[in-house]
Amino acid sequence: MIRLAVGVAALAMPAAAAAQDTASENPDTCLCNVGRPDLREIVVTGAGSLQLPKGDAVQGVALVGGLDPGLGARIENRLRDEAGLVQFRRSDGRSAHPTSQGVTLRGLGGNASARALVTLDGVPQADPFGGWVAWSAYDAIHLGGILVTRGGGSGADGPGALAGTIGLYSKMTDGVTASAAYGSRDSFDASASAGAELGNGQVAIDGRYSRGDGFVPVVADQRGAVDRAAPYEQGGLGARLRFDTGPDSRIEASVRGFSDRRDRGTDFTTSTVDGIDASLRYLHEPADGLQWLALGYVQVRDFDTGFASVAANRNSVAPALFQQVPATGLGARVELRPAFGAANPLRIGADWRRTVGRTEEDYFFTGLNPGRHRSAGGSSDTLGAFAEWTSGSEDDGLLWTLSGRVDHWWIGTGYRHEYNFGGSTITDARFAARQGWEGSGRAGVRWTAGDVALRAAAYRGWRLPTLNELYRPFRVGADATAANEALAPERLWGGEIGADWRRDGTKLSVTLFANRLDNAIANVTLGTGPGSFPGVGFVAAGASYSQRQNLDAIDSKGIEVSAEQRAGPLTLRATYAFTDARVAASGAAAALDGKRPAQIAKHGASLSLRTGDAGPFGGFVTLRYIGRQNEDDLGLQPLGDALTVDAGLSLRLTQGLRIEARGENIFDTLVPAALSSAGILERATPRTLWVGIRAAY
């Protein structure tokens, strides 16, 4: 499959170079590091942000568009079109455990916390307790586009951008759009968005609801009596207001809520996530004066989940652990862009983020009755200031950028309290508060002459351990992983060089990168059951016991290639990523030294052909390849590679009304998603077919 995927991508590049473009005005994806800044400006400024900074042109940036909601389409799956961008599990948000949906790039893996900074209209989106991403929360948002910036960021968006930045940008609906679809396994998906002028502003309301009976996660030849389909039910509603307060100023407010119900295909494995997000911002953006933005936001999350103990023959199941994890995130940001002549090359600002959360757990079950309870949690804060100067033109001659950021962080007093129900205290621990300073920044250049641009960037970034990593243990089947309250921040040093070429509608991009992530947090295997282990309790025979620990480092280097050709309404795009990531480890983790990080593939590729919806017919076909990777840190549980095909067709019935048909994994390829220490294999989404209708007025 590696040869097939690489070969397809390689064939697409010269074909793209030879073809001629007749300019589609609404491409689904734009390799924006090679031009077309107007598309990015429309997406970014329409989402309530200041103009797109030019400094990101020193790195590879892609704009993903064509994000119409509904008909089974999911944001996390569209992002898989960007080779090298991976979530910890290959499953999507309908069947994966919510805590396994962190996102990263460039092989900087190790566990499920996101090492790419995900933002929505400039607001950080990582779960305030766990650092994972609730992808289902974006189903109820009308998105105008997603900007994917690979590599460590400038620091202007805050800490956490170790592997890259994924910026989601919402769109104010003008009129009414709606869709409804029915799919395989009694699935239903409906979405709607409405917007209108309101006085001297605009208002928009978005919503979505989806459900399905789901599929059986465990592969057919390993199932027992306890295995069944894993249903899901998800929905959300959001509102956004925008009012002009002057010729160059506006105030915006947004609020959204979402609810997500799913399980893992056996009893006692139901997970629920409920969330409410709100933000308020003020923008002042004159064309020839001081520009500034002020933003405040809040995130509220309530996460409940269960874990089961399944017998070796999979004919009986019992509860193993129930968790309730409430968490809150608060933040604020101010950015100033002073005018120097007719330009605003300087960005200066400050931001603050606070997270508070705890885990409440029942465990040590006898039958259906828990014998013990654990409560653990704490808080963290970061306060930072940044400055960035960018000079020159992205499209001609030399552009250079230099940025710096300094952060002060605090981890508040943590605790872990364990006791027997109706009896004695087992543990009553307090963990001393800690604090420290971290610096980050970026230096980069871009030189453009005609059709060719050369670029280079070097950067440093960092990430604070999440409350989840510090305080919450978890289980995957019988395997158990303990938290570690002593974890240190991760620190990244990295660099890249790249070349871009554009002529008419043809675009090519190549990037070579090298990153070193010091203190990388990973789940380190320390023992095998049967027995009782610190922080998790009893572990069954043959199951593994792990703990989150700081590795010495993860060293990752590789190459990323993109090609795009537009011809009339058609857009052909190919991406390929080769990532050679290795662990540097010693001490208790010495057995990991030289191994690949868990859940990181060496090869990834995609090839897509899409058409706009201006004509009577529309459609797309997408091939995605993910290479072989390991489930565990020791490399003893390999997950095979997979090549999948998605496709869709649409037909316009009247102006504003279309019927559509879509297929996910239409050849029903087995996509290995998880492998337990007992050898039980779980799969990602099998073939799923949809038919529906879409309206826009």
Side-chain angles (χ1 to χ4, degrees):
M1 285 190 177
I2 292 176
R3 291 191 295 272
L4 173 61
V6 175
V8 169
L11 288 172
M13 293 176 191
Q20 297 297 315
D21 174 51
T22 55
S24 165
E25 295 183 357
N26 296 292
D28 285 320
T29 311
C30 168
L31 301 184
C32 294
N33 53 326
V34 290
R36 300 190 71 83
D38 290 344
L39 294 174
R40 292 179 297 169
E41 291 292 350
I42 292 171
V43 168
V44 172
T45 57
S49 300
L50 295 174
Q51 292 182 2
L52 186 73
K54 295 189 297 182
D56 287 345
V58 302
Q59 295 173 265
V61 182
L63 170 61
V64 180
L67 300 171
D68 290 333
L71 277 81
R74 302 190 64 86
I75 297 303
E76 66 268 35
N77 289 337
R78 275 303 305 273
L79 285 172
R80 297 180 199 271
D81 293 351
E82 295 300 307
L85 189 157
V86 297
Q87 290 135 50
F88 189 71
R89 295 286 182 203
R90 295 169 173 178
S91 307
D92 65 27
R94 292 167 291 191
S95 61
H97 195 273
T99 63
S100 68
Q101 294 197 274
V103 62
T104 192
L105 298 103
R106 295 186 169 175
L108 299 178
N111 66 12
S113 293
R115 289 180 172 86
L117 178 64
V118 181
T119 63
L120 173 62
D121 299 339
V123 176
Q125 292 299 295
D127 184 273
F129 185 86
W132 51 76
V133 181
W135 295 107
S136 62
Y138 311 120
D139 292 341
I141 299 173
H142 192 183
L143 292 176
I146 303 174
L147 279 175
V148 179
T149 304
R150 297 172 182 265
S154 65
D157 292 318
L162 301 177
T165 302
I166 301 172
L168 287 72
Y169 295 94
S170 64
K171 179 180 180 180
M172 297 289 286
T173 304
D174 184 12
V176 177
T177 65
S179 69
Y182 182 78
S184 303
R185 298 175 293 279
D186 200 24
S187 300
F188 177 73
D189 192 336
S191 68
S193 181
E197 294 185 358
L198 183 66
N200 62 340
Q202 293 175 280
V203 59
I205 298 176
D206 307 315
R208 185 171 179 179
Y209 172 80
S210 60
R211 67 155 310 278
D213 289 346
F215 60 92
V216 182
V218 173
V219 296
D221 61 355
Q222 294 182 330
R223 295 172 193 163
V226 304
D227 294 300
R228 54 169 173 74
Y232 67 92
E233 185 176 22
Q234 300 165 339
L237 185 67
R240 184 174 166 198
L241 299 171
R242 172 185 293 174
F243 293 101
D244 295 331
T245 59
D248 302 308
S249 304
R250 62 186 185 271
I251 188 169
E252 298 193 10
S254 67
V255 61
R256 63 188 176 95
F258 68 93
S259 184
D260 183 340
R261 305 286 187 272
R262 55 182 118 155
D263 76 21
R264 301 288 298 123
T266 69
D267 292 343
F268 313 116
T269 61
T270 299
S271 294
T272 66
V273 184
D274 296 317
I276 297 176
D277 289 2
S279 67
L280 180 67
R281 74 186 67 212
Y282 189 90
L283 293 92
H284 181 65
E285 197 171 18
D288 56 356
L290 172 68
Q291 301 174 355
W292 61 276
L293 174 149
L295 167 69
Y297 61 88
V298 59
Q299 297 173 287
V300 179
R301 297 287 185 271
D302 193 357
F303 169 52
D304 295 352
T305 188
F307 298 89
S309 176
V310 180
N313 61 8
R314 303 195 68 79
N315 288 329
S316 63
V317 61
L321 175 68
F322 286 152
Q323 293 179 325
Q324 182 180 22
V325 186
T328 302
L330 300 169
R333 170 186 172 87
V334 176
E335 180 177 341
L336 306 177
R337 298 185 184 181
F340 292 82
N344 299 80
L346 176 64
R347 306 172 67 190
I348 55 175
D351 53 55
W352 163 74
R353 178 168 170 82
R354 176 173 175 80
T355 63
V356 181
R358 71 182 192 277
T359 177
E360 301 285 348
E361 307 174 0
D362 292 338
Y363 66 107
F364 204 67
F365 280 78
T366 301
L368 300 179
N369 300 312
R372 294 176 178 175
H373 183 82
R374 178 189 299 118
S375 179
S379 64
S380 68
D381 291 82
T382 57
L383 178 64
F386 64 87
E388 179 184 60
W389 182 281
T390 303
S391 181
S393 170
E394 177 182 351
D395 299 314
D396 185 37
L398 179 67
L399 177 146
W400 63 271
T401 184
L402 182 65
S403 65
R405 178 184 176 92
V406 61
D407 286 285
H408 189 57
W409 59 264
W410 297 263
I411 295 177
T413 301
Y415 64 91
R416 182 181 299 124
H417 181 63
E418 299 173 290
Y419 61 87
N420 292 304
F421 279 114
S424 59
T425 296
I426 302 170
T427 302
D428 189 11
R430 292 293 185 270
F431 311 117
R434 296 183 280 154
Q435 59 180 299
W437 294 87
E438 294 289 342
S440 54
R442 178 181 68 187
V445 296
R446 178 184 178 90
W447 179 77
T448 305
D451 299 332
V452 178
L454 304 177
R455 50 187 167 79
Y459 34 79
R460 186 188 190 277
W462 73 283
R463 182 181 75 90
L464 195 66
T466 65
L467 301 179
N468 177 66
E469 291 167 325
L470 292 168
Y471 304 121
R472 173 186 168 268
F474 71 95
R475 290 177 179 264
V476 178
D479 302 327
T481 300
N484 185 349
E485 67 280 353
L487 292 170
E490 296 180 332
R491 302 180 181 93
L492 175 115
W493 289 93
E496 62 186 75
I497 58 173
D500 307 319
W501 177 78
R502 180 186 68 174
R503 177 171 296 171
D504 299 324
T506 305
K507 305 172 185 179
L508 302 174
S509 177
V510 179
T511 302
L512 302 174
F513 66 87
N515 289 170
R516 181 178 176 86
L517 181 63
D518 292 323
N519 291 339
I521 298 171
N523 303 328
V524 178
T525 301
L526 299 177
T528 303
S532 292
F533 294 90
V536 298
F538 182 75
V539 176
S544 65
Y545 166 69
S546 302
Q547 185 190 39
R548 298 185 182 97
Q549 293 190 359
N550 288 111
L551 303 174
D552 293 343
I554 293 176
D555 290 303
S556 179
K557 57 184 181 294
I559 182 171
E560 299 159 338
V561 183
S562 300
E564 181 183 301
Q565 174 65 51
R566 299 200 322 278
L570 300 177
T571 300
L572 175 68
R573 185 157 188 264
T575 69
Y576 170 73
F578 168 81
T579 306
D580 183 15
R582 300 290 172 180
V583 171
S586 58
L592 309 185
D593 192 57
K595 298 185 181 298
R596 292 183 61 80
Q599 304 292 343
I600 296 298
K602 183 174 289 187
H603 300 277
S606 73
L607 178 65
S608 64
L609 178 65
R610 294 179 177 270
T611 181
D613 57 6
F617 295 96
F620 73 94
V621 60
T622 300
L623 288 78
R624 299 190 189 100
Y625 174 78
I626 184 68
R628 181 182 182 275
Q629 63 193 50
N630 295 318
E631 165 73 24
D632 65 320
D633 56 337
L634 294 172
L636 302 177
Q637 301 162 231
L639 295 172
D641 59 358
L643 177 66
T644 61
V645 179
D646 294 354
L649 291 172
S650 69
L651 171 65
R652 187 175 65 197
L653 300 178
T654 65
Q655 186 67 32
L657 186 64
R658 285 180 172 269
I659 57 171
E660 299 187 15
R662 297 182 68 249
E664 305 174 60
N665 191 7
I666 59 177
F667 293 111
D668 205 22
T669 300
L670 173 63
V671 182
L675 182 65
S676 73
S677 57
I680 301 301
L681 180 64
E682 294 186 10
R683 57 180 178 152
T685 305
R687 177 169 51 230
T688 304
L689 305 178
W690 296 89
V691 62
I693 191 166
R694 189 184 301 276
Y697 297 99

